[in-house]
Amino acid sequence: MGYYVKVEKGVNIFVEDINSTSNKTILFIHGWPANHRMFEYQFNQLPAMGYRCIAIDIRGFGKSSKPWSGYTYDRLADDIRVIIDTLGLEDITLAGHSMGGAISIRYMARYSGYKVSKLALIGAAAPVFTRRLDFPFGKTVEEVDKLIEETYTDRPKMLSDFGDIFFARYLSKSFIDWFHDLGLAASGNATAKCLVSLRDEDLRNDLRRINVPTAILHGKQDKVCSFDFAELMHRSIKNSILIPFEYSGHGLFYCEMDKFNEELAKFIT
């Protein structure tokens, strides 16, 4: 079932909501540069296990409104709060992939984990996506600036190149084309401005404010958010568990989909 939630004047967020009668709810937040459809292989299985699966297209992506502004982590976390309140959600698992994991971390800090009982961070772009003088991990600022430039000059090629490093398993050409189309469904403006947020935001202080059980699911072969990120988050988040995926890249939800679905369900149960 798909519908829209108004988060502010002129901005409507698309919501996919499966098995809405269940009281075991997972709210999925997708990563850059995709949309909620990236979780197709979770929505195929988890509702049959008794879970209500909700996924949104963050503003600027997929079927959601594509405003000119509002792509900071704070504003994107505010959108999640409106969705939770509008749908009357309680006792949920918040599951964020990549930038969606970063937004989920900001939500937990900004709203003290409001209505969230468990947190799943999936290849999360945290604590910091780009290197700092005191943070020698992640992409360089110059690498992200290059992605921004390519977004403005040849976004289809940028998406194709990014897709080449996303997974760590054989992909059919049809799957590659499908995944590429997820990125093309976004606006170029949102794609670039979210890269600015990825480049500039710092979540190190936010991690210490997470106070719910947290599962950190991360591919050992991740070329977008290195496994160092997972180890750093695990050390900083109280009551967290680290679940490595030996044969996965950034797209662990597909690289090892059966293990991913089983581990997520086991964590929530």
Side-chain angles (χ1 to χ4, degrees):
M1 175 182 174
Y3 50 82
Y4 287 89
V5 170
K6 180 179 178 180
V7 293
E8 64 175 338
K9 184 178 179 181
V11 181
N12 298 302
I13 299 298
F14 181 79
V15 179
E16 182 94 10
D17 189 350
I18 305 295
N19 199 23
S20 59
T21 58
S22 172
N23 60 3
K24 296 187 292 184
T25 301
I26 312 170
L27 175 57
F28 290 92
I29 312 298
H30 68 82
W32 179 94
N35 58 55
H36 84 279
R37 292 171 55 212
M38 69 184 292
F39 296 116
E40 174 176 336
Y41 298 93
Q42 285 60 63
F43 276 56
N44 287 344
Q45 301 296 329
L46 292 171
M49 299 179 190
Y51 297 100
R52 179 183 183 183
C53 291
I54 302 172
I56 69 169
D57 289 341
I58 66 172
R59 61 170 64 207
F61 294 80
K63 296 180 180 180
S64 289
S65 300
K66 297 171 172 62
W68 184 252
S69 61
Y71 299 102
T72 65
Y73 286 179
D74 282 352
R75 178 62 252 189
L76 294 165
D78 293 347
D79 290 349
I80 294 174
R81 172 63 188 262
V82 175
I83 289 162
I84 287 172
D85 280 341
T86 301
L87 301 185
L89 302 181
E90 301 274 352
D91 193 30
I92 70 169
T93 296
L94 183 60
H97 174 259
S98 193
M99 183 176 174
I103 297 164
S104 299
I105 291 167
R106 176 57 51 83
Y107 175 87
M108 297 300 292
R110 189 166 172 83
Y111 290 108
S112 302
Y114 175 77
K115 303 296 184 181
V116 176
S117 59
K118 291 187 177 181
L119 176 67
L121 299 174
I122 307 158
V128 189
F129 188 64
T130 51
R131 298 175 197 172
R132 306 284 197 274
L133 289 176
D134 60 347
F135 189 83
F137 310 99
K139 303 293 184 186
T140 65
V141 168
E142 290 75 19
E143 286 174 315
V144 180
D145 285 344
K146 186 171 185 290
L147 287 173
I148 294 170
E149 179 186 355
E150 291 172 346
T151 298
Y152 285 129
T153 56
D154 191 345
R155 186 163 66 99
K157 184 179 185 304
M158 182 279 293
L159 291 171
S160 179
D161 292 345
F162 186 72
D164 287 344
I165 65 169
F166 204 92
F167 299 97
R169 58 167 286 184
Y170 168 76
L171 303 171
S172 68
K173 183 179 184 304
S174 298
F175 184 93
I176 292 168
D177 291 343
W178 171 80
F179 190 72
H180 186 251
D181 286 345
L182 298 187
L184 287 176
S187 77
N189 172 62
T191 302
K193 286 185 175 172
C194 282
L195 281 168
V196 172
S197 293
L198 279 163
R199 183 192 66 195
D200 296 345
E201 298 263 14
D202 187 335
L203 294 162
R204 282 177 285 186
N205 289 331
D206 299 64
L207 294 176
R208 302 182 184 96
R209 299 175 63 186
I210 295 172
N211 57 7
V212 301
T214 301
I216 299 163
L217 305 97
H218 213 103
K220 293 292 290 288
Q221 301 179 47
D222 196 326
K223 295 179 181 178
V224 179
C225 298
S226 74
F227 195 73
D228 297 314
F229 284 17
E231 295 173 325
L232 290 164
M233 287 187 286
H234 182 41
R235 289 202 289 268
S236 297
I237 300 173
K238 300 186 300 267
N239 199 17
S240 65
I241 58 171
L242 175 56
I243 306 171
F245 286 71
E246 296 288 338
Y247 308 107
S248 290
H250 198 48
L252 62 160
F253 54 87
Y254 185 73
C255 291
E256 295 179 78
M257 72 173 77
D258 290 339
K259 176 183 176 178
F260 178 85
N261 291 344
E262 290 166 7
E263 291 287 359
L264 185 58
K266 184 168 67 175
F267 169 66
I268 296 168
T269 301

